[in-house]
Structure formats: structure tokens, C-alpha cells
Amino acid sequence: QVQLVESGGGLVQAGGSLRLSCAASGRTFSIYAMDWFRQAPGKERESVADILWSGGSTYYSDSVKGRFTVSRDNSKNTVYLQMNSLKPEDTAVYYCAASTAGQGKYAYWGQGTQVTVSS
């Protein structure tokens, strides 16, 4: 089992920045990738960013590329999502998800953290 806890959400004005954290515990040695998703009211869940746990290779959706940066600190079992130049359309609940050997892709999810960007 892997447990994920997100933090760092909040209310920010357009153009501002936030940094989300996702702390993993439990069988963290089995994690091979971590993803950030978001879901806005009335919309489908959207993949935002991805990072390989070992090599650091990253992926970003077109909607956040150039504004968001995903990183990891393996010593803390924590993944971060630095969000800059925030827009009102970034408003959503943000979730992290862990993909693990044995359980598969997106096997574990955090509880989510609300990000609200005011115009």
C-alpha cells in the first residue's frame, strides 16, 4: 500500500503562484511514476503532469506547459507541482497519483487539494 497526502492548495490571484506537495508513505519503493491530475466542477479529470520516480523524466499537458513544473525529492518521498502564472481556468481540485510495480498505473490517489484562482 502507498498513501498519498497533498498539500499547498489555496486561493490566489491570477498571475500568482502556488506550490503543491504530494507526500508518499508506505511501500514507496514500488513507485515508478507520479502524476498530477486536476478536476474542475462539471469537467472531466485532466492529466496535468507526470514524473518518473527514478529518472526524473517529465511530461506536461499543453494547457500547463511552460507555467507548471513537476519535481521530486526522493529523500522525502515527495513530489511537487510548482504552478506559476496561474489563470482562472486552472481552478480545480488537484490530485496526485502513484503508479507502482505490481498494482499498476495510477493505483493510488491522494485526497486532493483545492486550487482557486481569482480573476
Side-chain angles (χ1 to χ4, degrees):
Q1 291 277 354
V2 173
Q3 294 79 40
L4 303 174
V5 178
E6 299 105 333
S7 61
L11 173 65
V12 64
Q13 288 188 333
S17 299
L18 283 173
R19 188 178 81 156
L20 305 183
S21 299
C22 174
S25 60
R27 297 173 63 88
T28 57
F29 60 86
S30 65
I31 298 174
Y32 67 84
M34 293 285 286
D35 285 74
W36 285 98
F37 289 83
R38 66 185 182 186
Q39 188 164 23
K43 294 189 176 181
E44 291 189 356
R45 186 174 59 196
E46 174 190 14
S47 174
V48 172
D50 169 273
I51 186 166
L52 292 182
W53 195 248
S54 58
S57 177
T58 58
Y59 156 84
Y60 299 95
S61 68
D62 287 344
S63 60
V64 306
K65 197 173 295 182
R67 299 187 297 122
F68 290 12
T69 303
V70 61
S71 62
R72 84 224 187 278
D73 184 339
N74 287 14
S75 68
K76 297 181 179 179
N77 291 324
T78 300
V79 172
Y80 303 98
L81 186 67
Q82 178 66 44
M83 307 185 295
N84 298 329
S85 302
L86 283 162
K87 305 174 181 180
E89 51 264 43
D90 294 317
T91 295
V93 178
Y94 284 70
Y95 301 90
C96 61
S99 300
T100 67
Q103 297 300 317
K105 207 168 187 181
Y106 315 141
Y108 300 96
W109 292 79
Q111 83 286 356
T113 186
Q114 176 71 46
V115 172
T116 303
V117 184
S118 63
S119 56

